[in-house]
């Protein structure tokens, strides 16, 4: 049998070859963000409100975190209901109908229940076809993880339109007696539709994603109870095992490090300089983390989209909520490059490079 000759093959690319060995261009699919949406509960919890719940003060919260207020879901609102509203907006924003969607993926650490998946709830509530629907858990990096999964599934077919949603009701797992964490988090959902399209000329859409994880640092941000290791018992409840626990200082240090590395990696492997990036849409955890990232990347703060002052940290919902508001406010003009970058429990992290059509 003749051995194939790979010597003239184009170099490996996650996007596949863009030209044949003889230099002819190949028409290949690109995957674009065709619509975005979000949902924020109406109830606002201000820093002043928090001073009535725990021993804190407005100035400490604002200067240490950049957060002024956050949204808190009503008892009747769940990750599933908020995801459904964000999805409805994203589908309309993409000029599609629910029946056009071929795949639903939800990222959340606060699913409506351990199973079935919150994605299945969204699928049936919006009246979609019996398409694939599943959840992914990668904490605050969850949206970047599902974006990369959906990108691959849409690019390689047969899926044409994927709905991806980050949704969280963090107020349900927040320890309202712990002042070091309860000041940080909020509820909400953000969604995007990824669609396959062909391109000619300069490629646009989702260009590349880098993801990472370091399970050795899992203990610095976790909810110990509720899984099979510590199921719910009177003891686990009394000892507050069903609330989020965090070593804030450790998370802070690692967050800056991994977000810098993910951003630099994605720039380097796409042969881009930091000053070519028009906007960065970071995970909204702490303004000081974002300021340190801005200084290390030498990208001015004006190019970072910030809304954490209004919503706090909404974990998997944070990047898609910011993405929707960034698109709506003209932060993502045609032809410009944007980077989405985040980190979260796991420890997990990721960065996605987009060029807007
Ligand atoms: O999506 C990922 C989720 N997590 C994060 O992004 C969190 C990353 N970490 C952080 O954002 C910060 O570490 C925090 C905002 C959580 C804390 O800020 P910090 O500057 O690292 O404060 P610290 O933990 O070093 O605490 C400093 C002081 C302590 O008092 P002493 O020991 O110096 O007397 C705390 O007890 O601030 C005290 N403190 C507070 N004081 C008033 C902690 N929380 C509060 C509070 N109000 N709410």
């Amino acid at each position: 049998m003749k051995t194939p000759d790979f010597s003239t093959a184009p170099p490996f690319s996650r996007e596949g070859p863009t030209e044949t060995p003889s230099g002819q261009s190949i028409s290949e699919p690109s995957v674009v963000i065709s619509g975005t949406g979000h949902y924020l509960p109406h109830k606002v919890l201000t820093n002043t409100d928090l001073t009535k719940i725990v021993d804190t003060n407005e100035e400490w919260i604002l200067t240490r975190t950049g957060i002024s207020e956050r949204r808190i879901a009503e008892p009747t609102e769940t990750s599933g209901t908020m995801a459904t509203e964000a999805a409805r907006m994203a589908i309309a924003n993409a000029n599609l109908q629910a029946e056009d969607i071929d795949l639903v993926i939800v990222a959340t650490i606060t699913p409506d229940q351990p199973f079935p998946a919150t994605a299945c709830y969204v699928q049936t509530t919006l009246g979609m076809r019996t398409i694939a629907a599943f959840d992914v858990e990668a904490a605050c990096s969850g949206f970047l993880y599902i974006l990369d999964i959906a990108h691959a599934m849409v690019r390689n077919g047969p899926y044409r339109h994927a709905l991806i949603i980050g949704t969280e009701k963090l107020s349900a797992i927040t320890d309202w007696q712990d002042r070091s964490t309860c000041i940080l988090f909020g509820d909400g959902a953000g969604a995007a539709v990824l669609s396959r399209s062909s391109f000619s000329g300069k490629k646009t859409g989702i260009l590349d994603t880098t993801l990472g994880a370091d399970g050795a640092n899992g203990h610095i941000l976790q909810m110990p109870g509720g899984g099979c290791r510590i199921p719910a018992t009177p003891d686990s409840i009394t000892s507050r095992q069903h609330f989020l626990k965090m070593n804030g200082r450790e998370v802070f240090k690692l967050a800056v490090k991994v977000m810098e590395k993910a951003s630099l990696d994605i720039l380097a492997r796409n042969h881009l300089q930091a000053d070519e990036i028009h906007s960065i849409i970071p995970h909204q955890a702490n303004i000081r983390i974002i300021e340190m990232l801005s200084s290390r990347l030498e990208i001015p703060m004006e190019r970072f989209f910030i809304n954490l002052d209004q919503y706090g940290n909404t974990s998997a919902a944070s990047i898609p909520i910011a993405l929707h508001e960034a698109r709506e406010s003209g932060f993502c003009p045609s032809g410009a490059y944007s980077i989405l970058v985040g980190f979260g429990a796991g420890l997990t992290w990721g960065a996605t490079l987009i060029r807007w059509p």
Side-chain angles (χ1 to χ4, degrees):
M1 201 172 91
K2 196 166 175 249
T3 312
D5 176 13
F6 293 110
S7 60
T8 53
F12 171 77
S13 150
R14 277 166 58 96
E15 291 303 326
T18 52
E19 55 179 43
T20 64
S22 61
Q24 285 172 304
S25 66
I26 298 172
S27 170
E28 56 168 311
S30 73
V31 179
V32 297
I33 294 178
S34 54
T36 52
H38 70 8
Y39 177 82
L40 278 316
H42 299 299
K43 185 171 166 189
V44 174
L45 185 71
T46 64
N47 291 350
T48 312
D49 296 332
L50 279 165
T51 63
K52 294 166 195 148
I53 301 172
V54 284
D55 177 17
T56 189
N57 61 79
E58 291 97 325
E59 216 228 309
W60 192 98
I61 303 173
L62 189 61
T63 53
R64 298 284 180 126
T65 70
I67 301 167
S68 299
E69 57 188 44
R70 65 289 291 145
R71 302 296 179 91
I72 302 295
E74 297 293 341
T76 51
E77 288 177 314
T78 67
S79 292
T81 66
M82 293 190 285
T84 303
E85 292 314 313
R88 208 188 296 280
M89 188 188 288
I91 293 167
N93 187 252
N95 287 320
L96 295 171
Q97 307 291 325
E99 53 267 32
D100 297 322
I101 300 296
D102 302 308
L103 170 71
V104 188
I105 315 178
V106 166
T108 185
I109 54 169
T110 49
D112 282 11
Q113 47 192 94
F115 66 87
T118 301
C120 295
Y121 170 86
V122 174
Q123 181 223 44
T124 190
T125 309
L126 285 178
M128 294 174 180
R129 289 175 286 120
T130 52
I131 50 166
F134 60 96
D135 289 1
V136 167
E137 197 274 89
C140 308
S141 313
F143 186 76
L144 299 176
Y145 271 68
I146 62 173
L147 188 146
D148 200 30
I149 295 167
H151 177 227
M153 292 176 81
V154 169
R155 183 175 177 277
N156 299 320
Y159 310 94
R160 186 165 162 71
H161 301 292
L163 171 66
I164 57 172
I165 312 162
T167 185
E168 301 288 8
K169 185 170 177 176
L170 294 176
S171 58
I173 60 162
T174 296
D175 186 344
W176 294 102
Q177 295 179 10
D178 176 6
R179 69 174 185 173
S180 69
T181 55
C182 74
I183 52 145
L184 297 172
F185 300 104
D187 300 333
V193 177
L194 305 193
S195 300
R196 193 175 339 137
S197 78
S198 52
F199 73 94
S200 54
K202 286 228 182 280
K203 184 160 187 192
T204 55
I206 296 160
L207 301 185
D208 195 9
T209 295
T210 175
L211 299 174
D214 173 16
N217 277 310
H219 58 284
I220 63 174
L221 179 50
Q222 59 168 324
M223 186 169 93
C228 63
R229 193 160 57 82
I230 308 180
T233 61
D235 267 0
S236 75
I237 291 164
T238 317
S239 59
R240 310 187 79 73
Q241 299 299 302
H242 300 274
F243 293 121
L244 177 157
K245 319 253 180 225
M246 180 174 71
N247 177 338
R249 277 185 213 180
E250 279 308 303
V251 174
F252 191 110
K253 278 191 274 178
L254 287 169
V256 176
K257 199 169 133 190
V258 298
M259 289 215 290
E260 179 192 10
K261 185 175 179 331
S263 306
L264 292 176
D265 282 353
I266 205 121
L267 286 172
R269 72 191 201 188
N270 290 280
H271 312 291
L272 288 168
Q273 303 297 320
D275 62 9
E276 293 177 83
I277 302 304
H278 178 272
S279 52
I280 305 238
I281 302 170
H283 171 44
Q284 311 281 316
N286 186 318
I287 194 70
R288 292 186 295 134
I289 292 177
I290 298 173
E291 284 167 352
M292 287 182 84
L293 183 66
S294 154
S295 139
R296 289 188 183 194
L297 295 177
E298 298 182 11
I299 296 180
M301 275 301 279
E302 303 79 70
R303 289 206 220 153
F304 283 75
F305 187 85
I306 309 290
N307 63 9
L308 67 82
D309 50 322
Q310 302 166 66
Y311 307 135
N313 180 346
T314 55
S315 191
S318 139
I319 291 178
I321 291 172
L323 174 66
H324 175 67
E325 294 194 341
R327 275 179 98 233
E328 293 290 295
S329 61
F331 217 69
C332 310
S334 176
Y337 288 107
S338 292
I339 288 178
L340 316 183
V341 59
F343 70 96
L347 199 77
T348 55
W349 59 87
T352 293
L353 176 69
I354 295 170
R355 187 161 205 220
W356 298 102

